[in-house]
Amino acid sequence: MSSPNQRRPIIIRRKKVVHRRHGGSWKIALADFMTALMALFLVMWILSSASRETREGVADYFSMPLLAAMTNGDSVAMSPQVIPGGGPDVTSQRGERMRIDLKRQTRPSEQQRRAFRDLQQRIELAIQQDPNLRGLRDQLRFDMTQEGLRIQLLDDEQRPMFALGSDRVAPYLRNLLRTMAPLLNDLPNDLSISGHTDSLAYLNGRGGYSNWELSSDRANASRRELLDGGLEGDKLLRVAGLADQVVMPGTAAADPINRRIELVVLFPSVAELIRHPGTLDPRAPRPARGGGEAQLAGPLEDIETRFHNALANSPASPPDEPH
């Protein structure tokens, strides 16, 4: 038996660690991450120093289909060797092919957008150079819509565009429209003119005359001033009066700013749809060139067949029962 003063031996067991050589895969991952991060910062720096037109062009490039982007968005040439997508429907009447075709037809090209921006700048420059029209710049608004470049001529209580309750054009509006007419001729695009009013009732003592007639008359008065200023007559595709049904965003229907004239320089695809409105039902018969009877023959025959079937299946009524 050992004495209490004798210490026990301490045994230390050391595990021998063998350091194996690694393959350096983490270095490759870090290098890829740093390269991607540097590329991201480079793209952000380029976009921050680019102009607005360049950024819009880049956005349009990435928002359109790949095949349209390869042809600058103007036209897409489908190769007969390429297998069409969206199923067996090679006529693009339904499915994914139809959606891509509709987007391609309605999306304006960058060249068209640039032409519209140039037209806006020339109109603004012409107004700025004319001392009689310089004060009207605040009554003009330009914006790009789905139909094209919209030019809104807004009314002002201090400077109304028309005489109260009539279509008589104010002198400065006449000068403005006649100044814009030759500039609108520089583009081959068609035009649409619409008149708008506020929701206040039209009270002038004439029966049957309302804001609908007033807005239409003002749109036609604006059309005549454009023609007197030299606008080509065949460029006018649509003249309409919308009364108080289309209000400015963020305004009440009775707000005087809703009294306005809208000129829209139409995209070619929109003008084509206005000239030749199609149908959403592919089974509907196409209009015949011979006359209106051929157009309605199919639907009338279908209605007549269903009518006779309904009579045959319905219970007969007593012969002397009044109707």
Side-chain angles (χ1 to χ4, degrees):
M1 186 174 181
S2 60
S3 61
N5 295 331
Q6 186 179 0
R7 295 181 179 180
R8 293 183 180 181
I10 300 176
I11 301 174
I12 300 176
R13 296 180 180 179
R14 299 183 183 274
K15 185 177 180 181
K16 187 177 181 180
V17 180
V18 179
H19 296 279
R20 297 181 180 179
R21 183 174 296 180
H22 53 77
S25 58
W26 66 274
K27 297 180 181 180
I28 299 177
L30 178 62
D32 293 341
F33 173 74
M34 296 301 296
T35 303
L37 195 62
M38 184 171 57
L40 174 63
F41 288 145
L42 183 61
V43 171
M44 293 174 63
W45 175 74
I46 294 175
L47 290 178
S48 64
S49 60
S51 61
R52 179 179 179 181
E53 290 76 10
T54 303
R55 292 196 298 270
E56 290 180 355
V58 173
D60 291 339
Y61 178 86
F62 285 103
S63 62
M64 66 178 59
L66 176 61
L67 203 54
M70 295 172 62
T71 56
N72 295 327
D74 295 330
S75 61
V76 178
M78 297 299 295
S79 172
Q81 285 78 21
V82 179
I83 300 177
D89 181 29
V90 297
T91 58
S92 304
Q93 295 297 323
R94 62 181 184 273
E96 188 67 22
R97 282 287 305 280
M98 182 179 181
R99 288 195 292 270
I100 294 177
D101 291 345
L102 290 177
K103 290 180 180 179
R104 187 173 66 243
Q105 293 174 3
T106 56
R107 179 183 292 111
S109 63
E110 179 61 26
Q111 181 181 3
Q112 184 68 80
R113 292 176 179 269
R114 194 180 303 112
F116 282 173
R117 287 193 294 265
D118 181 66
L119 174 63
Q120 175 182 345
Q121 293 174 359
R122 287 187 286 119
I123 293 177
E124 292 176 340
L125 180 61
I127 295 174
Q128 186 65 27
Q129 292 178 348
D130 192 337
N132 297 325
L133 300 178
R134 195 173 302 163
L136 301 179
R137 179 60 187 89
D138 295 338
Q139 294 181 236
L140 266 72
R141 290 188 183 179
F142 298 86
D143 51 6
M144 198 75 67
T145 66
Q146 295 181 352
E147 291 189 338
L149 176 63
R150 179 173 61 182
I151 307 172
Q152 299 185 86
L153 311 178
L154 308 178
D155 203 2
D156 189 273
E157 292 183 345
Q158 305 299 328
R159 192 186 292 111
M161 297 187 301
F162 297 90
L164 181 62
S166 72
D167 60 345
R168 190 167 65 253
V169 182
Y172 58 86
L173 178 59
R174 179 182 298 110
N175 297 336
L176 177 61
L177 292 173
R178 294 185 180 185
T179 301
M180 295 171 54
L183 300 177
L184 297 174
N185 283 333
D186 294 341
L187 293 181
N189 302 70
D190 297 304
L191 295 177
S192 171
I193 305 177
S194 59
H196 303 263
T197 64
D198 53 27
S199 61
L200 299 180
Y202 184 85
L203 301 175
N204 67 338
R206 291 194 299 174
Y209 197 89
S210 64
N211 285 331
W212 288 101
E213 287 78 12
L214 180 62
S215 59
S216 301
D217 292 343
R218 288 181 172 179
N220 267 307
S222 303
R223 175 189 63 85
R224 289 190 295 266
E225 296 299 337
L226 288 172
L227 294 177
D228 292 341
L231 181 69
E232 299 174 2
D234 55 355
K235 294 177 65 66
L236 290 169
L237 183 58
R238 181 176 59 188
V239 180
L242 301 179
D244 59 342
Q245 297 303 303
V246 182
V247 300
M248 296 283 290
T251 64
D255 198 318
I257 198 174
N258 288 305
R259 300 194 297 262
R260 66 194 190 277
I261 297 294
E262 288 189 0
L263 306 177
V264 181
V265 186
L266 300 171
F267 290 125
S269 58
V270 177
E272 185 66 20
L273 288 177
I274 295 176
R275 284 194 176 93
H276 307 288
T279 176
L280 295 177
D281 187 3
R283 299 171 300 176
R286 295 186 177 181
R289 297 182 180 179
E293 296 181 358
Q295 301 179 20
L296 300 178
L300 285 178
E301 292 176 357
D302 183 58
I303 293 175
E304 184 178 1
T305 302
R306 287 184 293 174
F307 177 72
H308 286 296
N309 292 337
L311 288 181
N313 297 329
S314 61
S317 60
D320 297 334
E321 184 179 353
H323 295 282

